[in-house]
Amino acid sequence: MKILVLLMSLAAFLLVTLPGPLYRSGLVELGAAFAGFKYAVITGVAALILLIVQMLFKRQTVTFTSAAVAIVFSLIAILIPLRMMITANSVPAIHDISTDIMTPPEFVAIAPLRADAPNPTTYAGLETAKKQREAYPELQTLQYSQPKSELVAAVEQAANNLGWQLVNTNASAGVIEATDSTMWFGFKDDIVVRVLDQGGERLVDIRSKSRMGKSDLGKNAERISLFIEELDQVLGE
């Protein structure tokens, strides 16, 4: 039974850790990858139940190492999908986040790259704006006193520091476009930053939009917040 418990816990672990790399490499479809999470939880729970049965009725076959490995693998298989589920229930099911929800920055150079993406480049609309404002009220248009050229350079530097792939920089228009990929599944999200003159101040707006999926699990809002922190560091604020 010890071997069975170990094999089941390992299978559960693989079912939750391999879908991302397999999907990213094109070996499995997204539906199959997500199905792996469900089976990971089922297999992980089954492994823990078998381990309990083993400890109750075949205690002599249990070793500390085998039990520890089975518990760790099974808990990872169970907790990762549960954490994703909790996150999905705690954030709105939106995938287009902008600091300016009335006139969000527009994708230009990136638009052709999204030609086959399920989510269009157009802003998701007023309902999305309302949900965003309720969930992320802190995401607002930024104001800086630095010259426009300095801000554009700082935006580029911040994007590079975060590992984004720069697609377009139009210094005169104050527009910077970039693409970021999620680490696990390699989902591509696109970002556009707009720098506008307004009297003696510069207004900076950031928009981050997923190419696919109804909900981004809060990733786009998190990305914008990280960018704002990085930009302030680059500017020394």
Side-chain angles (χ1 to χ4, degrees):
M1 181 174 282
K2 179 173 71 174
I3 299 300
L4 178 60
V5 171
L6 285 172
L7 288 176
M8 289 187 66
S9 63
L10 176 60
F13 177 77
L14 294 177
L15 282 169
V16 82
T17 55
L18 289 182
L22 290 176
Y23 170 77
R24 194 167 63 244
S25 62
L27 295 176
V28 299
E29 297 292 330
L30 186 59
F34 283 153
F37 291 157
K38 178 179 70 174
Y39 293 117
V41 173
I42 295 172
T43 308
V45 170
L48 290 178
I49 292 174
L50 278 180
L51 178 60
I52 293 173
V53 171
Q54 181 189 7
M55 295 176 70
L56 289 176
F57 300 103
K58 293 188 176 182
R59 184 170 305 192
Q60 69 278 6
T61 65
V62 180
T63 64
F64 174 80
T65 300
S66 64
V69 170
I71 291 172
V72 170
F73 279 0
S74 297
L75 287 180
I76 290 175
I78 295 169
L79 294 178
I80 288 179
L82 288 182
R83 182 182 178 185
M84 293 176 64
M85 186 182 304
I86 291 171
T87 300
N89 290 330
S90 65
V91 298
I94 56 179
H95 59 264
D96 194 350
I97 304 295
S98 174
T99 54
D100 184 349
I101 59 177
M102 301 307 297
T103 55
E106 296 182 357
F107 294 105
V108 180
I110 279 179
L113 303 179
R114 298 178 60 102
D116 298 326
N119 295 334
T121 58
T122 53
Y123 185 62
L126 292 178
E127 185 63 27
T128 290
K130 180 181 177 182
K131 291 179 179 179
Q132 177 195 315
R133 190 61 81 219
E134 292 174 351
Y136 314 110
E138 72 281 1
L139 296 183
Q140 303 278 349
T141 298
L142 307 173
Q143 296 182 340
Y144 294 95
S145 59
Q146 287 87 347
K148 188 175 182 179
S149 59
E150 181 180 341
L151 277 173
V152 170
V155 167
E156 282 190 299
Q157 183 61 56
N160 283 321
N161 291 350
L162 292 172
W164 298 355
Q165 180 183 354
L166 288 171
V167 176
N168 174 53
T169 298
N170 188 330
S172 60
V175 174
I176 301 91
E177 298 176 85
T179 295
D180 188 26
S181 299
T182 60
M183 183 175 62
W184 194 6
F185 274 83
F187 295 134
K188 289 187 178 298
D189 299 336
D190 297 307
I191 310 102
V192 54
V193 183
R194 181 182 65 201
V195 182
L196 294 177
D197 285 313
Q198 186 179 71
E201 297 221 318
R202 255 54 59 197
L203 304 183
V204 176
D205 282 294
I206 310 101
R207 180 184 176 196
S208 182
K209 183 180 179 73
S210 303
R211 292 191 185 183
M212 64 185 301
K214 181 179 180 181
S215 174
D216 61 10
L217 300 182
K219 182 62 180 178
N220 286 303
E222 178 187 351
R223 179 180 292 111
I224 291 176
S225 295
L226 288 174
F227 172 78
I228 293 172
E229 293 178 5
E230 188 64 33
L231 179 60
D232 286 342
Q233 287 187 14
V234 171
L235 292 170
E237 298 196 357

